[in-house]
Amino acid sequence: MDKRVIFAVAGSGKTTYIINKLDLINKSIIVTYTNNNVENIRHGIIKKWGYVPENIKILSYFSFYIPFAINLYFQGLIR
C-alpha cells in the first residue's frame, strides 16, 4: 500500500501531481486542509475523467479527522 504526504509551497504543482497519480483501480483518499482545495481537486478529477470515481474520496482535514476522533473516543482509545 502506497502512503504519501505531500508538503510543498503554493503553486508548486501538488494538486496536478496528485490528480495525475490517481487511477480507476486503486482506492485513494485525499485529505486537504481547505474546503476550497477540496473543490479544486474535485474539479481536476472531473476534468480528467468526467466524474469522480467511487474509489476516490476527497475530504477536508476536519471532515476526515472529526469522525475518526469520535470513533476512537467511543472505542475508549482516547479520553
Side-chain angles (χ1 to χ4, degrees), residues 7-8 12 16 22 26-28 33 35-36 38 46 50 56 60 69 73 75 78-79:
F7 295 104
S12 62
T16 302
L22 296 172
N26 297 307
K27 290 183 179 181
S28 299
Y33 193 73
N35 291 328
N36 188 41
V38 169
I46 291 171
I56 299 171
S60 70
Y73 178 79
Q75 289 180 4
I78 60 173
R79 294 190 190 258

Side-chain angles (χ1 to χ4, degrees), residues 46-64:
I46 291 171
K47 188 175 178 182
K48 182 175 181 175
W49 284 305
Y51 65 100
V52 177
E54 289 188 26
N55 65 312
I56 299 171
K57 302 294 179 209
I58 312 162
L59 301 169
S60 70
Y61 175 77
F62 292 104
S63 66
F64 169 77

Side-chain angles (χ1 to χ4, degrees), residues 5-71:
V5 176
I6 301 171
F7 295 104
V9 297
S12 62
K14 295 180 299 290
T15 301
T16 302
Y17 175 82
I18 291 167
I19 292 169
N20 288 337
K21 288 292 185 180
L22 296 172
D23 61 44
L24 295 173
I25 298 168
N26 297 307
K27 290 183 179 181
S28 299
I29 182 169
I30 302 167
V31 180
T32 185
Y33 193 73
T34 65
N35 291 328
N36 188 41
N37 205 33
V38 169
E39 291 307 314
N40 288 339
I41 294 169
R42 184 181 321 278
H43 176 74
I45 292 170
I46 291 171
K47 188 175 178 182
K48 182 175 181 175
W49 284 305
Y51 65 100
V52 177
E54 289 188 26
N55 65 312
I56 299 171
K57 302 294 179 209
I58 312 162
L59 301 169
S60 70
Y61 175 77
F62 292 104
S63 66
F64 169 77
Y65 180 73
I66 291 171
F68 178 76
I70 290 170
N71 188 34

